[in-house]
Amino acid sequence: MAQTKYIFVTGGVTSSLGKGIIAASLAKLLQSRGYKTTIQKLDPYINVDPGTLNPYEHGECYVTDDGAETDLDLGHYERFLNVRTSQANNVTTGRIYQSVIEKERRGEFLGKTVQVVPHITNEIKERVQLLGNSGDYDIVITEIGGTVGDIESLPYIEAVRQLLWELGDDNAIVIHLTLVPFLSAAGELKTKPTQHSVKTLMESGIKADILVCRTEHEISNEIKDKLALFCNVKREAVIQSIDASTIYDVPLLMQEEGLDTVTLQKLALPNTVEPDLTRWNEFLVRHKNPKNEVTIGLVGKYVELQDSYKSILEAFIHAGASNEVKVNVKSVHSEYITEDNYKNKLKGLDAILVAPGFGERGIEGKVKAVEFARVMQIPFLGICLGMQMAVIEYARNVLKLADANSTEMDENTPDPVISIMEEQKTVTDKGGTMRLGAWNCDLKDGSLVKKMYEGASQISERHRHRYEFNNAYLEQLENAGLLATGFNKETNLVEIVELKDHPWFIGVQYHPEYKSTVANPHPLFVGLVKAALDYKKAQSNATLA
């Protein structure tokens, strides 16, 4: 295409309406019609990135191949599109201001007074168009975080207004996502919040081209007519977004509502190719019609907030569909696992996943969960900190190094089987200073993990951590049966451990969940779900016998 087209997705009335899912669903529909599409997220908070944010504050931090710590919505983008994102796909106010201040310090503004308009808005516009100017995409969808009317969002809204004017007719549109609440006392849906939200947007100089209305109840044609009239949009551009049983239904619901059709019309793009959603529909059929079910324990310390482990939960959905198995995830708070209750807390599980995390809170509970999985021969996957806990548990209970630990938890441990990397010892800043992004890993012949990756000799996986397996204990641990089966050649760091005498026990230093998509479920999650089903069947047979 001669010129990249831009779609801006804004939100009104309230947060958490699902702008990311709507953006990803529209992108999926456009992609399935043959348009090269990507999505970016503009976040209005002043953090440079979400890397230092508590998961309770902001959900999980999603990591890209190029090592960017980003918003969890980028995970949705990748899972839907099966296209890799990068640093350019997530921009925060902190990064915008940091860049402008650095330019001012270098004297690039030639003595001008640095202001929100034009300097901050120009920086935003430049970031928005980075992906479009690359020549790789026909359409760039930009999701604006927050809610219209927020003080934090104003520079972004102004930048969008300028871009709409600069790019010209048919080259950029605005999709506004709002809430149409149902008042049970009145027994009806109310359009007034949406009208006020659109009015607030118009006060900033932006007219919504398409209105997507989140609702728990069907929106009648009469209400759609009313919204079109009072919000100044075409009738066909009022799109209902009703609650769905799964986020993966949303692209199909948006297709039924004609969101992709009206979008192409507004952008003056050909609407001649019907969306090819064959593989997507096949996934949905498998997901909704499982032949078996398993229960997998997710042992972590942020389990109260589902978004803290969003990518893991979605990876289980992909792997479950691949195996035609319904995966029931049982959240187990590691802080409350003790010597006295661990058997009761972990009973009835067909597999155990010990989740990533930082800091010492809940660590002993994770160690106990690993021990239970090892001793009881329950399928086990440890991710990042979960892998480190597996090493600590083995060192303590098999090597009898009673005080073995990670220097993250105990700087003075006599047996630091997990310790900080040399190059990390002088690092004082927390943000963006870990081992981040995609790193290669060589897999050992004959290992379980190589079998899971279908015989691949080398893989590339994403990391986010500061502490590593201490090679000083490698020989001792391997001789005792905990095998290192994946190494990074450049650093000689252990990436994967597995147990010799266990049906399915793998710990990985990286985050496999980040690369699981609808089109390509991650092989470790597929393998864990299959192992869980095998374990469940074996237990059932043993009971019958």
Side-chain angles (χ1 to χ4, degrees):
M1 265 174 36
Q3 179 170 355
T4 301
K5 307 278 189 173
Y6 292 87
I7 300 168
F8 298 99
V9 180
T10 59
V13 183
T14 180
S15 58
S16 303
L17 289 181
K19 290 192 301 292
I21 300 298
I22 293 296
S25 297
L26 175 58
K28 185 69 205 173
L29 292 173
L30 296 172
Q31 182 194 58
S32 67
R33 289 174 177 267
Y35 291 103
K36 291 178 288 182
T37 310
T38 190
I39 321 174
Q40 63 183 175
K41 175 80 180 287
L42 306 185
D43 271 313
Y45 50 76
I46 298 174
N47 302 65
V48 171
D49 59 44
T52 57
L53 286 172
N54 187 314
Y56 288 130
E57 284 271 331
H58 199 69
E60 79 170 3
C61 174
Y62 187 80
V63 177
T64 58
D65 275 349
D66 62 351
E69 293 177 286
T70 70
D71 186 82
L72 60 82
D73 273 330
L74 268 70
H76 290 311
Y77 305 163
E78 288 202 12
R79 287 188 282 273
F80 275 56
L81 297 181
N82 202 38
V83 173
R84 299 289 170 233
T85 55
S86 69
Q87 179 67 74
N89 292 79
N90 193 198
V91 180
T92 67
T93 294
R95 195 172 292 279
I96 294 289
Y97 273 83
Q98 184 183 54
S99 176
V100 170
I101 290 167
E102 285 171 354
K103 288 177 180 178
E104 184 271 331
R105 292 289 82 188
R106 291 195 298 267
E108 290 186 22
F109 298 122
L110 303 175
K112 293 277 187 186
T113 303
V114 180
Q115 297 175 287
V116 173
V117 180
H119 302 99
I120 297 299
T121 51
N122 282 349
E123 185 75 21
I124 293 169
K125 289 190 292 182
E126 189 179 310
R127 298 297 180 104
V128 165
Q129 294 177 95
L130 268 179
L131 292 164
N133 293 338
S134 69
D136 295 331
Y137 303 104
D138 302 321
I139 300 169
V140 175
I141 300 176
T142 303
E143 177 194 345
I144 315 289
T147 308
V148 168
D150 293 349
I151 291 173
E152 296 94 336
S153 300
L154 288 175
Y156 292 108
I157 297 298
E158 170 58 19
V160 169
R161 186 197 66 77
Q162 292 179 22
L163 276 170
L164 291 168
W165 184 78
E166 290 168 9
L167 292 166
D169 294 343
D170 303 333
N171 292 320
I173 62 169
V174 172
I175 296 175
H176 191 53
L177 177 65
T178 74
L179 178 68
V180 178
F182 180 83
L183 293 189
S184 54
E188 61 182 353
L189 291 162
K190 289 295 184 182
T191 64
K192 194 61 74 177
T194 294
Q195 292 178 48
H196 281 298
S197 179
V198 170
K199 183 182 177 184
T200 302
L201 192 62
M202 292 179 79
E203 285 170 355
S204 300
I206 296 175
K207 176 188 174 297
D209 296 285
I210 299 171
L211 207 55
V212 177
C213 303
R214 286 285 289 113
T215 178
E216 296 175 353
H217 300 267
E218 292 282 342
I219 296 176
S220 66
N221 288 330
E222 184 185 2
I223 290 177
K224 285 189 176 183
D225 291 338
K226 184 178 179 181
L227 284 166
L229 177 63
F230 286 106
C231 296
N232 204 25
V233 297
K234 292 282 175 61
R235 169 63 179 73
E236 65 271 18
V238 179
I239 306 293
Q240 170 184 282
S241 175
I242 199 162
D243 287 358
S245 60
T246 167
I247 59 171
Y248 300 107
D249 278 329
V250 179
L252 303 181
L253 293 173
M254 291 301 97
Q255 185 188 14
E256 283 176 22
E257 284 286 307
L259 178 59
D260 53 331
T261 303
V262 72
T263 297
L264 293 175
Q265 180 189 331
K266 297 277 184 187
L267 292 172
L269 289 173
N271 180 16
T272 53
V273 179
E274 279 299 306
D276 181 6
L277 294 167
T278 307
R279 289 185 68 187
W280 191 271
N281 285 317
E282 287 170 355
F283 157 77
L284 273 174
V285 168
R286 291 194 304 273
H287 173 50
K288 292 184 173 184
N289 300 282
K291 294 177 179 174
N292 296 283
E293 65 179 272
V294 297
T295 301
I296 297 181
L298 173 59
V299 181
K301 52 185 177 179
Y302 311 116
V303 294
E304 300 96 330
L305 184 68
Q306 293 285 294
D307 278 355
S308 299
Y309 302 115
K310 192 65 180 171
S311 291
I312 290 174
L313 296 174
E314 297 305 316
F316 274 133
I317 289 174
H318 308 153
S322 179
N323 283 285
E324 295 184 282
V325 169
K326 179 185 179 184
V327 179
N328 300 307
V329 178
K330 180 184 176 185
S331 296
V332 184
H333 201 305
S334 61
E335 196 172 6
Y336 305 131
I337 297 175
T338 66
E339 181 69 44
D340 296 328
N341 69 15
Y342 75 95
K343 289 181 181 176
N344 191 49
K345 290 268 187 189
L346 301 169
K347 71 179 179 185
L349 300 176
D350 303 312
I352 291 172
L353 184 149
V354 174
F358 293 91
E360 62 183 313
R361 185 173 65 89
I363 288 305
E364 294 306 320
K366 288 189 175 187
V367 171
K368 207 67 201 169
V370 176
E371 180 187 3
F372 186 74
R374 177 179 64 82
V375 173
M376 302 304 292
Q377 300 276 290
I378 299 170
F380 168 83
L381 176 61
I383 296 177
C384 197
L385 185 66
M387 173 265 208
Q388 297 174 2
M389 294 302 102
V391 175
I392 290 168
E393 188 278 327
Y394 209 78
R396 288 181 185 178
N397 296 323
V398 179
L399 292 183
K400 302 303 178 186
L401 304 174
D403 295 317
N405 215 329
S406 164
T407 53
E408 181 183 6
M409 321 308 165
D410 179 5
E411 288 182 14
N412 302 312
T413 173
D415 290 297
V417 291
I418 304 294
S419 61
I420 199 163
M421 295 183 283
E422 269 313 306
E423 59 267 33
Q424 287 284 339
K425 287 182 178 176
T426 57
V427 173
T428 53
D429 284 357
K430 298 291 185 191
T433 56
M434 292 181 279
R435 181 149 78 104
L436 291 163
W439 292 67
N440 290 333
C441 175
D442 291 347
L443 305 181
K444 274 196 174 178
D445 290 339
S447 64
L448 173 62
V449 75
K450 186 165 185 174
K451 183 182 175 185
M452 292 300 103
Y453 281 94
E454 297 180 341
S457 296
Q458 188 180 75
I459 56 171
S460 173
E461 294 283 2
R462 299 178 193 176
H463 293 66
R464 184 178 182 248
H465 60 96
R466 187 170 276 112
Y467 293 80
E468 300 278 359
F469 183 103
N470 187 345
N471 283 344
Y473 292 85
L474 178 58
E475 187 177 352
Q476 214 176 338
L477 285 162
E478 287 214 300
N479 288 341
L482 186 68
L483 308 177
T485 54
F487 287 86
N488 176 267
K489 266 187 180 172
E490 298 166 38
T491 58
N492 197 36
L493 291 170
V494 173
E495 301 274 14
I496 305 168
V497 296
E498 60 184 69
L499 272 182
K500 188 162 60 175
D501 301 316
H502 193 286
W504 209 98
F505 188 106
I506 294 174
V508 295
Q509 185 61 83
Y510 50 82
H511 289 259
E513 70 273 21
Y514 290 150
K515 291 186 75 171
S516 185
T517 70
V518 169
N520 290 305
H522 196 282
L524 288 184
F525 281 87
V526 173
L528 179 66
V529 171
K530 184 180 184 304
L533 183 60
D534 291 342
Y535 175 83
K536 182 179 181 179
K537 287 178 177 176
Q539 293 295 108
S540 179
N541 291 338
T543 304
L544 290 172

